[in-house]
Amino acid sequence: MCGRAYSPRFLWMWPNARISVMGGEQAAMVLSQLRRDNIEAKGGTWSIEEENEFRAPTRRSSKARAIRIMPPPAMG
């Protein structure tokens, strides 16, 4: 793989492509897994509903932070 971090001369991508290090779902899973392990290490429990509530903001913010490579096409 060759991403922007490697300063390529050319990137072959779709016009609406976005670049990010990790997708929102993956980042949310990693963070929630760390939190779950932390809670369980202290003897607590964490419900699926609480986990989904915890993941939601990470999913939303990663979509907003992804770098858009090209502007969207002009309408009309």
Side-chain angles (χ1 to χ4, degrees):
M1 286 179 60
C2 181
R4 293 180 72 83
Y6 297 104
S7 300
R9 288 187 229 141
F10 180 78
L11 286 176
W12 182 262
M13 302 172 71
W14 291 107
N16 61 349
R18 293 175 182 235
I19 292 180
S20 59
V21 176
M22 183 182 288
E25 184 63 33
Q26 293 83 5
M29 284 184 74
V30 169
L31 292 173
S32 66
Q33 184 176 7
L34 290 171
R35 182 160 175 125
R36 175 181 291 281
D37 292 347
N38 221 355
I39 290 170
E40 289 176 353
K42 294 177 183 176
T45 59
W46 204 29
S47 71
I48 297 298
E49 293 81 21
E50 290 172 324
E51 186 171 352
N52 288 334
E53 288 176 21
F54 179 79
R55 287 182 182 183
T58 305
R59 289 184 194 132
R60 282 192 305 269
S61 70
S62 69
K63 287 181 184 176
R65 291 181 185 177
I67 299 169
R68 175 162 259 173
I69 302 304
M70 295 177 67
M75 295 297 202

